[in-house]
Amino acid sequence: GKFRNDSVHKFRINCRPQFPARTYITSSYFTQRNYLPVTSYYAVKDLDTNEFVIDFDETYTKLSSDNQGNYFDLYMNGLEPERYYKILVKTKLKGSTLVLDDNYYFKVVNTL
C-alpha cells in the first residue's frame, strides 16, 4: 500500500495454525480469531538501504491485541518519504524464535 507521511496507520497481523487439528464443525475454522504470543514484536526495514529503521525491541515494538486480533500503530512521519519499507514479525513459539517475513511492502508518499 501507499501511506501519506503525515498519517498514522494501524497494521493488523492475521495468524492461523499452519496445520490445524482436524475437527468436524459447521462453520469455517478460518473465521476464528487467533492471536500470537505476548512475546511477539515487529520491525520495519528500509528496502533501499536494507537497514532496520525500527528494530525488534522488547519494550517499544511489542504487538498489541484487541477483539479483532494483533496489531500495531505506525507513525509515518518518522519514515523517509518516497521509499519502500518492509514489515517483519518476530515471535517465540515453543522455545524457538521465528522471524516471519510475508513480503509485506509499503511506500510512504509525500503530501503537498
Side-chain angles (χ1 to χ4, degrees):
K2 293 182 181 179
F3 303 104
R4 294 175 28 185
N5 66 343
D6 61 350
S7 67
V8 178
H9 187 72
K10 182 177 284 192
F11 289 92
R12 291 258 174 215
I13 308 295
N14 295 322
C15 62
R16 65 176 178 86
Q18 185 175 6
F19 302 109
R22 183 177 290 190
T23 58
Y24 297 99
I25 55 177
T26 58
S27 63
S28 174
Y29 179 79
F30 298 108
T31 59
Q32 299 174 0
R33 295 280 178 228
N34 294 303
Y35 295 89
L36 289 171
V38 294
T39 55
S40 299
Y41 313 96
Y42 70 92
V44 178
K45 192 174 193 179
D46 187 346
L47 292 178
D48 289 340
T49 61
N50 208 23
E51 294 179 357
F52 284 102
V53 177
I54 302 171
D55 205 354
F56 298 111
D57 186 87
E58 293 186 5
T59 304
Y60 300 108
T61 63
K62 189 175 257 193
L63 292 180
S64 302
S65 64
D66 59 8
N67 61 353
Q68 295 179 2
N70 296 102
Y71 72 94
F72 65 93
D73 293 324
L74 188 61
Y75 289 81
M76 299 298 167
N77 60 0
L79 302 175
E80 190 70 32
E82 302 302 325
R83 285 196 165 177
Y84 286 94
Y85 296 93
K86 181 183 205 178
I87 294 179
L88 302 165
V89 175
K90 179 171 104 173
T91 188
K92 296 180 182 177
L93 289 171
K94 298 178 183 175
S96 63
T97 301
L98 300 172
V99 176
L100 308 170
D101 180 8
D102 286 340
N103 290 326
Y104 185 77
Y105 303 103
F106 67 94
K107 182 178 182 179
V108 178
V109 295
N110 270 328
T111 55
L112 298 175

